[in-house]
Structure formats: C-alpha cells, structure tokens
Amino acid sequence: MRFDDKTVFVTGGGSGIGRATAIGCAEEGAAVVVADVDRDAAEGTATAIEAADGEATARELDVRDAEALTEAIDATAEESGLDVLINNAGVSHPRSDMEDIEGETRDRVIDINTKGVWNGCRAAIPQFKAQGSGAIVNTASLAGLIGMPGGAAYSLSKGAVVNFTRAIAAELGSHGVRANAVCPGVVETPLVTGDRDPEEWEGLRDRMAGEYPLGRLGRPEDVANAIRFLASEEAAWITGHALVVDGGYSCS
Ligand code: NAD
C-alpha cells in the first residue's frame, strides 16, 4: 500500500477534507496523527480509523500556536518518524465586499490559513532535511489562483499559500523534500454549509452545481484523493505544483 510504514500528520483532520484525507491515508497503511483545534472532532476521526483497524493518534492543537505545533511534530518524529505533513486546517469568512471586511476577520483568516501553514512547515522542515526525505501538501484553494468576488481575505490567505508552496519547493528539492498544494473548488463540508438552513443550502448547492462542468460540487474524498497522490511516491517527480481539483469550474 502507498503509505505502509509511513507516518502522516494532518492538520484540520477532524472534519471535511482533512478527515477524508486522514482516513484515506490510514486505509493505505499510514499511521496518522489527526491534529485539530476541535478535540472531539480529532478524536472522532482517530476513532473511525481505529474502528477500521487503522493506526491513529488525535492531537488537540491550534495551528496558530507555533510552539504547540512544533512540540506535536517533534513528538511524532521521535515516536514514529515523520514522512508526510498535510497543512489543511483552514477557515473562511462570510462573503462581503473587501472594504466591509473587518481587520479582525482578515487577521483570523490570515493567521489560521497562512501562518498556520508556515508554522507547520517551520516545525517539520528541519526533520525532513535531516532525514533527506519528506512530502508536504498544503490545502490552498481555487480562490488562491482566480479572483472570487466577496472572498478577498480568504483569497489573500490562499494566494499566499500557493506561492509559499512554490518557494519552499524550490528551497527543499535538493534535500529530497517535496512540497505541493491542492486548489479545490467548492466542496460540501461544514466550512461551506456552515449554519445555513438545510433547505436554503440545497437550493444554493443545486445552483452552484450548475456552474461546474462535471455537474456537482466536490466531495471531501475528491480532494483527499489528490492530496494522497501528491503525498505519495507516485508523485516523486512533482514539486511546487498547485493542483486544481474543481470539477472543471475554472476551465471555462
Ligand atoms: P471543515 O470546516 O470541514 O474542516 C476544517 C477543520 O479545520 C475543522 O476540523 C476545524 O476544527 C479545523 N481548524 C480550524 N481552525 C483551526 C486551527 N486554528 N487549528 C487547527 N485546526 C483548525 O473545512 P474543509 O472544507 O474540510 O476545509 C479544509 C481546508 O480546505 C481548508 O484549508 C479550506 O480553506 C480548504 N478549502 C475548502 C474548500 C471547500 O469548499 N470546502 C474549498 C477550497 C479550499
């Protein structure tokens, strides 16, 4: 299996894309560390993995806390080694014109989506360099590549993740370490459905699905499959890439 004897550390592993990624990596043999600010969610994913005879550890942490992330990544490396880091934790903000987005909202999005990725990489890269191997996959967004009205702070955070990924890929290649990003279109997860009324959401989902050439929104597994590929040896000669996973949304 693709992740036999490998250890994969996933942030935001308690829900949505991170949960599907953690479960998918475990199904392919990985020992998975499920890190999330939501302890119950992290434990829920770890329990699901263990129930399927997989190996998982839940860790409650906030990716904004560089020290906590370093401590968790160091402990993982010491206990079982570290092969793959998936910086996936992220948040969005209500759609709004740029000038109406409060500084506090902007800072929260940047701190989690961008500095959180920085903190994860800063913690893992010394370990990866020392062992001469490692794969990083950062969850960016289609909003980091194309302009999406109403999402200025989110776009700011995700555009930075895309180009940060390219920068570290260029730095790390000679150390045997790869770094890539995924750029999903709209995926049906709590980040998108939020606290919307289910009926209102169904109508909105159907309208949005009509804008996708493949006729539907994304499922967490659609993105998890792309992340697993980039994290695996099958992608051994791919680094610095931002892989669009969007049902064709951006091709027209
Ligand atoms: P989600 O809300 O289902 O899951 C996000 C997880 O991250 C949650 O478990 C949450 O508790 C965790 N998290 C949030 N803040 C955190 C913090 N400070 N520290 C640690 N964990 C934290 O959302 P999702 O859709 O699965 O999002 C995963 C990633 O995918 C995010 O980076 C998001 O920006 C990105 N993304 C999502 C979509 C989409 O349409 N759903 C599209 C493009 C990109």
Side-chain angles (χ1 to χ4, degrees):
M1 290 193 288
R2 283 193 290 190
F3 296 104
D4 273 342
D5 300 322
K6 305 266 190 210
T7 301
V8 175
F9 192 105
V10 188
T11 70
S15 174
I17 294 167
R19 178 179 161 93
T21 302
I23 290 172
C25 289
E27 280 169 358
E28 292 212 52
V32 181
V33 179
V34 183
D36 204 291
V37 72
D38 181 337
R39 174 195 287 269
D40 290 345
E43 284 176 354
T45 301
T47 302
I49 289 172
E50 282 164 352
D53 288 333
E55 202 181 328
T57 311
R59 279 209 171 247
E60 179 187 359
L61 63 81
D62 189 325
V63 295
R64 289 173 290 190
D65 184 343
E67 221 171 279
L69 207 37
T70 301
E71 191 269 320
I73 284 177
D74 284 352
T76 303
E78 199 169 312
E79 282 158 25
S80 56
L82 180 67
D83 301 285
V84 174
L85 170 67
I86 299 167
N87 289 302
N88 167 80
V91 292
S92 188
H93 59 82
R95 283 187 169 235
S96 173
D97 288 345
M98 182 264 161
E99 67 274 24
D100 296 329
I101 297 175
E102 300 286 347
E104 203 181 316
T105 302
R106 174 205 60 210
D107 289 349
R108 176 167 185 269
V109 170
I110 297 284
D111 285 349
I112 296 173
N113 294 5
T114 309
K115 292 191 198 163
V117 171
W118 176 286
N119 290 340
C121 291
R122 176 66 188 81
I125 284 172
Q127 172 69 26
F128 285 160
K129 275 187 170 176
Q131 68 198 26
S133 66
I136 297 167
V137 184
N138 297 325
T139 307
S141 170
L142 196 54
L145 294 175
I146 65 173
M148 292 197 172
Y154 188 71
S155 294
L156 179 62
S157 73
K158 295 297 189 177
V161 170
V162 169
N163 224 31
F164 168 75
T165 305
R166 295 182 181 125
I168 58 168
E171 264 183 44
L172 294 172
S174 62
H175 297 274
V177 182
R178 298 182 300 105
N180 290 289
V182 287
C183 296
V186 175
V187 180
E188 203 169 344
T189 70
L191 180 126
V192 173
T193 56
D195 39 22
R196 280 181 217 270
D197 166 70
E199 254 180 54
E200 180 215 342
W201 166 246
E202 269 184 38
L204 180 59
R205 180 184 57 199
D206 292 347
R207 280 198 303 283
M208 284 198 290
E211 294 170 19
Y212 282 71
L214 290 179
R216 63 169 175 84
L217 299 187
R219 300 177 186 127
E221 291 73 20
D222 294 320
V223 183
N225 289 339
I227 293 174
R228 273 193 300 176
F229 165 66
L230 290 172
S232 77
E233 278 302 304
E234 285 171 30
W237 209 50
I238 302 176
T239 196
H241 187 63
L243 181 57
V244 172
V245 187
D246 73 345
Y249 180 88
S250 59
C251 69
S252 56

